[in-house]
């Protein structure tokens, strides 16, 4: 272990067992944050030069040294491992090793508390952007297939019981709208947490006239977390909201996958899941199992578990507490697994092969009863009377076409009026 950055002449011997427990997985988790920490450190160095705490040359040397660290980290020449207490210490150690006494100047006006807070906000902005991009892709795929397969009949279910004739177009457009909403949420939450805590130090500010706004601007934050105490109290709170955005998407993936696992069963036989998303059975030679659909359905559980873990860690008074370190594992685990899963969804959806004849044949004649009731309403009957009249005719609908039922379903959003252009416009506006 390189020397602890907090080591003083008076520091007693550290107990390595205790230190290992404190650092825990931190150094491994910080690998995901290091790039953001480096960028924030560069902005901080430039900010210090603007208030003459560093000379322009010193700041320049630091920025260049940090560029080299980023390169070494990206190429694997620098490994963030147990030699360091955490990513923050690794950055300072690197600077001191490369620049000597100049490197020891980087920590003026900051603490690891605001350092980790800013790295986490940059990380969350990045992952929410990625999430938004994936939601847009899923929505785009659903919209394209809704357009192409708009008129194909499918029995509509409520209570998992056949209800009314529906269409593949309506099914696809429904999932498209869900992912447009999820995209909007990812963007909104991304904006909500888009504020820089850097320069709040340990939670009380510092006696230097830091150029916090300039540093925030350089890092792409449109505003500051103004209050130093709140910069710490917001830790975990914003992580929870970031996970909300992720969980909205994974909950909708769960629903799509539930539909698909039913529709792909032999009993329904509506859809074939692409082979690349299936596995075989180790014992039953006949099996093609839609495992990817099932594990994508399970994805939401990871996010819900992470949220619960975060909520539990957050029972704290104001200010920094080392407990806050434990907000990192659930956040990173949830975004890691969540985005990896979501990135498989567009390919899965593109590869689905529907059995149109089987879907059409599954639309039983009595599913036309509601259409019939509304036809009678069109002829002037009160709905309740029409409902009873249609109920008495249940075995008279055999000659009806599902296509005609879909064509007549003209209420906005319904099968004959999916309004895909409106959905498309909303998607474009959010992209
Ligand atoms: N690993 C720590 C965390 O995530 C970094 C901040 C350490 N601050 C401290 N005062 N010990 O919270």
């Amino acid at each position: 272990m390189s020397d602890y950055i907090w080591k003083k002449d008076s520091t007693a011997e550290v107990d390595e067992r205790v230190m290992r427990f404190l650092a825990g997985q931190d150094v491994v988790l910080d690998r995901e944050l290091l790039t953001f920490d480096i960028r924030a450190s560069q902005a901080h160095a430039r900010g210090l030069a603007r208030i003459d705490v560093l000379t322009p040359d010193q700041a320049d040397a630091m920025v260049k040294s940090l560029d080299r660290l980023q390169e070494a980290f990206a190429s694997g020449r620098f490994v963030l491992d147990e030699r360091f207490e955490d990513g923050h210490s690794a950055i300072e150690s690197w600077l001191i090793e490369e620049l000597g006494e100049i490197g020891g100047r980087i920590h003026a006006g900051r603490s690891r508390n605001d350092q980790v807070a800013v790295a986490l906000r940059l990380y969350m902005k990045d992952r929410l952007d990625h999430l938004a991009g994936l939601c847009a892709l899923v929505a785009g795929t659903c919209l394209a297939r809704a357009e192409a397969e708009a008129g194909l009949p499918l029995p509509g279910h409520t209570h998992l019981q056949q209800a009314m004739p529906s269409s593949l177009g309506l099914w696809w457009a429904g999932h498209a709208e869900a992912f447009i909403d999820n995209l909007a949420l990812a963007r909104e939450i991304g904006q909500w947490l888009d504020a820089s805590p850097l320069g709040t130090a340990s939670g009380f500010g510092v006696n230097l006239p830091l150029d916090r706004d300039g540093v925030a601007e350089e890092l792409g934050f449109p505003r500051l977390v103004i209050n130093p105490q709140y910069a710490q109290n917001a830790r975990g709170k914003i992580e929870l909201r970031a996970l909300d955005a992720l969980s909205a998407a994974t909950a909708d993936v769960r629903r799509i996958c539930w539909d698909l696992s039913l529709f792909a069963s032999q009993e329904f036989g509506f859809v074939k899941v692409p082979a690349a998303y299936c596995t075989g059975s180790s014992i039953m030679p006949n099996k093609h199992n839609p495992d990817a659909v099932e594990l994508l359905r399970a994805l939401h559980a990871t996010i819900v578990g992470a949220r619960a873990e975060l909520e539990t860690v957050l029972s704290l008074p104001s200010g920094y507490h080392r407990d806050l370190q434990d907000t990192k594992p659930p956040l990173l685990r949830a975004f890691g697994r969540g985005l990896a899963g979501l990135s498989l969804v567009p390919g899965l959806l593109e590869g689905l092969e529907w059995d149109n004849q089987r879907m059409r044949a599954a639309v039983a004649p009595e599913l036309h009863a509601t259409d019939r009731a509304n036809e009678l309403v069109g002829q002037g009957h009160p709905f309740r009377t029409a409902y009873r009249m249609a109920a008495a005719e249940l075995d008279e609908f055999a000659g009806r076409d599902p296509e005609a039922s879909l064509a007549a379903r003209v209420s906005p959003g319904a099968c004959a009026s999916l309004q895909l252009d409106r959905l498309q416009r909303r998607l474009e506006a959010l992209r």
Side-chain angles (χ1 to χ4, degrees):
M1 166 78 74
S2 65
D3 255 351
Y4 295 104
I5 56 176
W6 41 265
K7 195 168 167 228
K8 303 174 276 285
D9 295 339
S10 59
T11 301
E13 262 315 287
V14 297
D15 180 328
E16 285 300 335
R17 232 164 37 101
V18 174
M19 285 305 130
R20 254 200 310 283
F21 174 72
L22 297 188
Q25 274 242 299
D26 214 33
V27 92
V28 177
L29 298 169
D30 280 358
R31 288 176 193 165
E32 296 221 40
L33 302 178
L34 192 71
T35 296
F36 302 110
D37 201 348
I38 290 172
R39 263 178 54 203
S41 298
Q42 290 175 317
H44 178 67
R46 290 197 186 96
L48 290 180
R50 286 197 291 279
I51 58 166
D52 299 325
V53 171
L54 294 178
T55 67
D57 285 351
Q58 288 170 335
D60 198 46
M62 277 186 194
V63 169
K64 291 202 170 104
S65 172
L66 289 169
D67 277 340
R68 287 191 290 277
L69 172 57
Q70 175 56 37
E71 269 169 43
F73 177 61
S75 68
R77 275 183 297 112
F78 174 86
V79 180
L80 184 55
D81 58 20
E82 318 66 55
R83 288 174 299 154
F84 307 101
E85 187 181 9
D86 52 31
H88 323 302
S89 316
I91 287 176
E92 189 165 323
S93 301
W94 172 278
L95 285 172
I96 291 174
E97 206 165 300
E98 281 216 334
L99 308 176
E101 176 271 330
I102 295 174
R105 294 172 182 267
I106 185 69
H107 216 52
R110 79 171 182 188
S111 146
R112 282 184 296 171
N113 297 356
D114 59 336
Q115 203 177 341
V116 64
V118 74
L120 281 164
R121 287 206 189 227
L122 290 169
Y123 167 88
M124 283 182 268
K125 278 173 58 172
D126 179 75
R127 292 308 126 114
L128 286 169
D129 251 5
H130 195 155
L131 171 64
L134 289 172
C135 290
L137 271 180
V138 174
T141 305
C142 292
L143 275 179
R145 292 209 70 167
E147 175 107 53
E149 296 165 325
L152 298 175
L154 171 83
H157 295 82
T158 70
H159 312 267
L160 214 49
Q161 305 285 312
Q162 291 204 351
M164 285 178 68
S166 186
S167 69
L168 210 43
L170 186 133
W171 186 85
W172 278 120
H175 293 308
E177 190 165 358
F179 276 86
I180 296 170
D181 264 0
N182 297 337
L183 160 60
L185 192 63
R187 291 262 180 261
E188 264 172 40
I189 292 178
Q191 280 164 18
W192 179 76
L193 57 76
D194 198 0
S196 172
L198 191 55
T200 55
S202 46
F204 313 98
V206 293
N207 46 347
L208 292 169
L210 295 175
D211 177 18
R212 289 195 61 207
D213 283 294
V215 172
E217 199 184 318
E218 183 178 336
L219 287 172
F221 291 107
R223 64 187 171 88
L224 297 180
V225 181
I226 294 167
N227 184 280
Q229 173 179 275
Y230 182 59
Q232 291 309 314
N233 289 358
R235 252 190 102 180
K237 173 182 173 180
I238 54 173
E239 281 81 346
L240 271 173
R241 297 289 83 83
L243 289 191
D244 282 346
L246 181 58
S247 79
T250 55
D252 284 326
V253 167
R254 178 171 68 178
R255 214 185 279 266
I256 292 179
C257 288
W258 242 127
D259 289 356
L260 292 179
S261 94
L262 285 174
F263 290 173
S265 72
Q266 284 75 10
E267 282 68 19
F268 279 81
F270 291 172
V271 76
K272 220 171 116 217
V273 173
Y277 290 77
C278 295
T279 67
S281 155
S282 64
I283 178 170
M284 298 171 281
N286 53 314
K287 293 301 298 288
H288 296 284
N289 298 324
D291 291 33
V293 170
E294 292 161 344
L295 278 176
L296 286 172
R297 181 169 60 194
L299 195 57
H300 188 56
T302 302
I303 319 306
V304 172
R307 282 190 94 273
E309 192 177 335
L310 255 170
E311 281 279 12
T312 314
V313 171
L314 288 181
S315 175
L316 294 169
S318 286
Y320 179 81
H321 309 273
R322 191 71 182 264
D323 311 51
L324 289 171
Q325 176 173 297
D326 274 352
T327 60
K328 288 194 297 193
L331 178 77
L332 300 178
R333 188 183 339 115
F335 270 100
R337 180 88 181 147
L339 295 181
L342 270 170
S343 70
L344 298 181
V345 174
L348 167 68
L349 298 180
E350 275 158 24
L352 294 174
E353 284 174 36
W354 302 95
D355 185 336
N356 300 327
Q357 273 174 2
R358 194 150 167 158
M359 291 188 310
R360 186 182 191 281
V363 180
E366 64 188 42
L367 269 64
H368 294 279
T370 310
D371 287 342
R372 176 61 184 151
N374 278 317
E375 283 163 20
L376 292 165
V377 165
Q379 292 164 20
H381 296 279
F383 180 82
R384 196 49 57 208
T385 311
Y387 174 92
R388 292 199 190 97
M389 289 164 76
E393 296 173 17
L394 282 188
D395 45 10
E396 292 169 29
F397 303 137
R400 287 184 174 240
D401 259 1
E403 286 82 1
S405 167
L406 303 187
R409 200 85 52 72
V410 293
S411 62
C415 300
S417 176
L418 291 173
Q419 316 248 342
L420 300 180
D421 49 341
R422 271 165 85 176
L423 291 173
Q424 188 72 45
R425 278 200 300 278
R426 185 163 167 240
L427 172 59
E428 290 314 322
L430 288 162
R431 259 192 221 272

